[in-house]
Amino acid sequence: MTPDPSASPVAGPEPVARPFPVFTSTEMLSDVFAALPGAYLLLTPELRIVAVSDAYLTDSGMSRAHLIDQYLLDVFPGPPGTPEGNTITSLLASLQQVLATGQFHRMAVQHYSLPHPTVPGDMVEHYWEAHNTPVRDAHGAVTGIVHSVVDVTERIRAEAQVREREVREQAALSAAENQRVSLLHLIEQTPAGVGILQGPEFVVEQADTVLGLIWGRSPAHIIGRPFFEALPDLQEHGF
């Protein structure tokens, strides 16, 4: 059967407009926040934890039930006079700054140890980079803070190992130089003719006054020069 080109096309069903999903419940928001690819906490202006990402749970070794609806500083205490106490003081200052200014704040690397995952009572040293980002409503008011952390413990340990190695190397160089200076001083005090030759060219590194008298040259004329350049006549005598 050949279709009639003059016939009006049959109208199909109108496409249904699908609105962009809107997260209308706290449960939906928590599910989305949990799936974020990073370690995040969502805090109220009163610093209570209302959402946490799965990555944060992995890094901290804590459970969601242990964190949700808790005051942040109750979950992460900081005894005064400890590195953890200093970290909590810095964290609180950063959060208060974000609430007051509505501006993102990046903290310096912070030290905060966490309980050992398998040894009760033991603590494991950790270092963290932390960022605090304001959450605003339609009117621009700060209604919360996204607190994000990155565990940089391995990087800090590697940097410390490099510094320690550099200190050891510098100490070894200083010790070698001190030994060299002591040896040269000893040579200068020796009543016999003593000299030090270095390398295939027999460069004269050190020669005392007595040796200079024996060679008929002042030490200043000899030191730093190849032996047979400074004393060419000695080569002819089988040296």
Side-chain angles (χ1 to χ4, degrees):
M1 180 176 180
T2 304
D4 182 358
S6 64
S8 300
V10 178
E14 291 291 333
V16 177
R18 298 185 180 276
F20 189 81
V22 177
F23 304 113
T24 56
S25 70
T26 301
E27 182 178 353
M28 293 177 66
L29 176 61
S30 297
D31 290 342
V32 172
F33 203 88
L36 292 177
Y40 297 96
L41 291 179
L42 180 59
L43 307 172
T44 67
E46 295 75 32
L47 305 185
R48 301 192 75 82
I49 303 170
V50 294
V52 56
S53 68
D54 291 341
Y56 191 96
L57 300 179
T58 299
D59 286 353
S60 66
M62 297 181 176
S63 68
R64 185 168 276 104
H66 183 73
L67 296 173
I68 295 298
D69 293 330
Q70 299 300 309
Y71 179 54
L72 180 66
L73 302 191
D74 286 343
V75 177
F76 297 103
T82 66
E84 288 70 28
N86 296 335
T87 292
I88 294 304
T89 298
S90 298
L91 174 59
L92 184 58
S94 175
L95 295 171
Q96 290 174 339
Q97 178 177 325
V98 173
L99 290 172
T101 66
Q103 300 296 317
F104 167 88
H105 185 251
R106 180 193 303 272
M107 299 178 64
V109 172
Q110 302 291 321
H111 175 282
Y112 195 91
S113 297
L114 293 173
H116 195 288
T118 58
V119 182
D122 278 11
M123 302 296 288
V124 179
E125 182 181 62
H126 284 275
Y127 291 88
W128 309 89
E129 282 184 350
H131 308 151
N132 295 308
T133 305
V135 178
R136 299 173 180 274
D137 63 15
H139 304 288
V142 177
T143 58
I145 298 176
V146 175
H147 173 65
S148 63
V149 295
V150 177
D151 189 340
V152 294
T153 304
E154 292 306 317
R155 190 192 81 193
I156 297 300
R157 288 175 178 169
E159 292 173 351
Q161 289 174 355
V162 170
R163 289 193 297 271
E164 290 171 0
R165 184 168 62 250
E166 290 175 345
V167 169
R168 290 195 300 270
E169 291 173 351
Q170 185 59 46
L173 290 173
S174 297
E177 177 62 15
N178 289 337
Q179 291 176 355
R180 189 185 74 85
V181 171
S182 297
L183 177 59
L184 297 180
H185 181 70
L186 179 62
I187 290 173
E188 292 172 355
Q189 303 302 315
T190 301
V194 179
I196 298 176
L197 309 181
Q198 289 283 358
E201 298 296 323
F202 307 111
V203 175
V204 181
E205 181 179 346
Q206 183 64 24
D208 64 5
T209 303
V210 175
L211 189 60
L213 292 174
I214 294 173
W215 286 345
R217 303 285 194 281
S218 68
H221 179 78
I222 301 171
I223 293 174
R225 300 176 64 188
F227 180 78
F228 292 115
E229 177 185 310
L231 303 164
D233 50 326
L234 292 184
Q235 192 170 12
E236 299 174 0
H237 292 81
F239 272 76

